[in-house]
Amino acid sequence: MGVLFLETIDLLSVFKGLNDENKFKLYRELWQKAGNYEVLTNYPLHLDIELSGICNLKCEFCFQNGLINQPLGFMDVELFKQIIDDGVKNGLCAIKLQIRGESFLHPRLFECISYAKNKGVLDVQITTNATLLNRNNIQEIIESGLDAIIFSVDSHHGNSFVQKNNSERYSSTEKSIKELLKYRLKLGRQKPWIRLQSSIPQLDRDSFLKTKNYLKMKFPEADIFVVNRIYNYNNDIDAFPDLHINYELEPCNYLMHRLAIFWNGDITICCADYNNKINLGNVAFKNIKEIWLSARMNAFRQLHKNDKRKDMSPCKHCGACLAAKNNNSIVYDNTKQHCNDYQS
């Protein structure tokens, strides 16, 4: 069955009359069904919104390390509010405030978080390298209403941090994460839930398990621990050297869950299209709902659903949504799990 014939779910209709608890439960049910290409919502369940295209690190293999050929900047707060207002009136459930850059660089980050929560967005998340976390903003994180924070903590972030800060030690970043965890525990809060993720180059299962156990030991108060393989984000190179040898490319659930909006309002399918080659339009001129339900988006979904993902760039090189070809191939956490999946 082609994706063009999927049942289309009107979000406003199915959420009508529900309290936040039941709405959240239904949102997660729809997330599962949409990710399995069983239904198509009439508006993205989730938007990745880039408050900052700028990053304070240049990690090896990252697109921030010389691969982006576009100007980068901070999203205007009024543009952010416009996106949120449009989303909420169409049933938007979740946002993640990061795509290519480091959102803690944005001078009005916490204002944006609070605005989204006050407007009714159920699930507001942020991914950060944690290097700008400190005692001054830990309390703001808790008070802003943020639902989830994902910390990327590993050796290549640490190496980049030390290179850019000379005498400073990356251990100060890990110390700040621990302070946030302890402060949340002291207040007896469950939110924001906190995810620790690390990327490693090794291919063996022992390294995978060793890294995950290390994260659990070092940050025991965290909620979720995820270990990924280091991506190579060059558009012309497979994310992993053995991508097409040891893995099958499955239909990507990004096409069923979300769109990505860069700092200047440009829209694309996900962070893998970091130079906006797909270019779905700009929020100043095109309606998000129309883009989501467009023939072009459905054609992308059709390719994936019909096992023709290799015919689409950058999807043919991407390391998300994979199935192992044999028992010796490790399906790392990031091959199935995205930033607002809750399983550990």
Side-chain angles (χ1 to χ4, degrees):
M1 180 178 67
V3 73
L4 295 177
F5 302 105
L6 289 177
E7 177 188 2
T8 301
I9 303 296
D10 185 290
L11 291 176
L12 289 183
S13 296
V14 297
F15 289 144
K16 186 176 181 180
L18 298 180
N19 59 27
D20 283 350
E21 181 179 355
N22 288 328
K23 185 178 177 182
F24 188 92
K25 182 180 178 181
L26 180 55
Y27 143 60
R28 296 310 301 174
E29 291 174 358
L30 290 173
W31 184 269
Q32 183 71 27
K33 290 181 179 179
N36 291 333
Y37 282 67
E38 296 172 8
V39 299
L40 177 66
T41 56
N42 70 334
Y43 193 88
L45 288 166
H46 175 108
L47 293 174
D48 287 333
I49 303 175
E50 183 177 77
L51 288 184
S52 172
I54 302 166
C55 189
N56 61 330
L57 300 181
K58 291 186 182 297
C59 299
E60 188 179 6
F61 301 121
C62 181
F63 34 64
Q64 285 284 352
N65 197 3
L67 295 179
I68 299 175
N69 57 27
Q70 298 182 330
L72 298 172
F74 297 137
M75 179 174 282
D76 181 83
V77 172
E78 293 307 311
L79 175 60
F80 174 81
K81 291 179 178 180
Q82 173 190 326
I83 294 168
I84 295 300
D85 291 347
D86 176 72
V88 170
K89 75 178 184 181
N90 283 286
L92 174 68
C93 297
I95 60 174
K96 179 169 72 73
L97 301 178
Q98 188 268 342
I99 300 179
R100 300 172 296 182
E102 173 51 61
S103 292
F104 273 78
L105 290 170
H106 196 287
R108 298 171 69 178
L109 166 64
F110 296 107
E111 177 185 345
C112 292
I113 294 171
S114 296
Y115 185 86
K117 289 303 299 180
N118 290 336
K119 284 292 181 176
V121 179
L122 293 171
D123 198 2
V124 178
Q125 309 180 8
I126 191 167
T127 298
T128 172
N129 60 41
T131 58
L132 299 176
L133 187 67
N134 55 54
R135 289 184 177 179
N136 295 327
N137 57 32
I138 283 176
Q139 186 171 353
E140 289 184 282
I141 291 171
I142 300 291
E143 294 179 350
S144 66
L146 186 69
D147 293 290
I149 186 164
I150 299 101
F151 291 118
S152 296
V153 181
D154 46 44
S155 60
H156 66 287
H157 282 94
N159 293 338
S160 181
F161 177 82
V162 170
Q163 288 173 6
K164 293 200 70 174
N165 294 277
N166 295 324
S167 61
E168 293 198 42
R169 295 171 58 86
Y170 185 62
S171 58
S172 62
T173 298
E174 297 179 341
K175 180 180 178 181
S176 295
I177 295 173
K178 290 181 179 181
E179 286 186 14
L180 172 60
L181 287 163
K182 291 185 182 302
Y183 184 60
R184 186 189 64 163
L185 182 64
K186 179 181 177 181
L187 295 178
R189 301 280 187 91
Q190 292 183 322
K191 289 187 176 181
W193 60 262
I194 296 171
R195 167 173 155 176
L196 270 293
Q197 62 185 25
S198 183
S199 296
I200 60 174
Q202 293 91 337
L203 304 179
D204 60 283
R205 189 176 297 274
D206 286 344
S207 296
F208 170 78
L209 294 175
K210 181 180 178 181
T211 302
K212 180 168 282 193
N213 289 333
Y214 174 77
L215 289 175
K216 290 180 178 181
M217 179 187 68
K218 194 158 193 174
F219 305 100
E221 299 91 355
D223 304 292
I224 298 175
F225 304 91
V226 171
V227 178
N228 305 326
R229 288 180 65 175
I230 292 178
Y231 269 56
N232 187 327
Y233 278 100
N234 191 311
N235 276 159
D236 300 319
I237 297 175
D238 290 340
F240 312 136
D242 62 331
L243 180 66
H244 296 288
I245 299 172
N246 291 324
Y247 301 97
E248 296 284 355
L249 304 185
E250 295 194 329
C252 184
N253 52 35
Y254 262 86
L255 295 171
M256 303 298 293
H257 287 153
R258 65 178 79 189
L259 290 173
I261 306 176
F262 293 137
W263 70 275
N264 61 353
D266 285 343
I267 305 170
T268 188
I269 55 169
C270 72
C271 66
D273 184 32
Y274 51 82
N275 278 318
N276 195 26
K277 292 181 179 180
I278 291 176
N279 190 6
L280 296 172
N282 187 286
V283 293
F285 309 105
K286 296 195 73 172
N287 182 279
I288 292 175
K289 186 173 184 177
E290 291 177 357
I291 290 173
W292 183 249
L293 297 176
S294 67
R296 191 177 181 203
M297 282 295 297
N298 278 330
F300 294 154
R301 297 177 183 122
Q302 188 80 57
L303 280 174
H304 279 243
K305 180 68 174 176
N306 292 344
D307 296 324
K308 295 183 178 180
R309 178 173 152 183
K310 290 181 181 179
D311 295 341
M312 183 176 172
S313 181
C315 307
K316 64 183 178 182
H317 296 302
C318 184
C321 295
L322 307 178
K325 288 184 178 180
N326 55 66
N327 292 332
N328 294 323
S329 301
I330 303 170
V331 178
Y332 281 69
D333 290 337
N334 64 328
T335 63
K336 290 287 186 181
Q337 185 173 355
H338 295 301
C339 288
N340 59 351
D341 287 343
Y342 291 84
Q343 72 270 25
S344 60

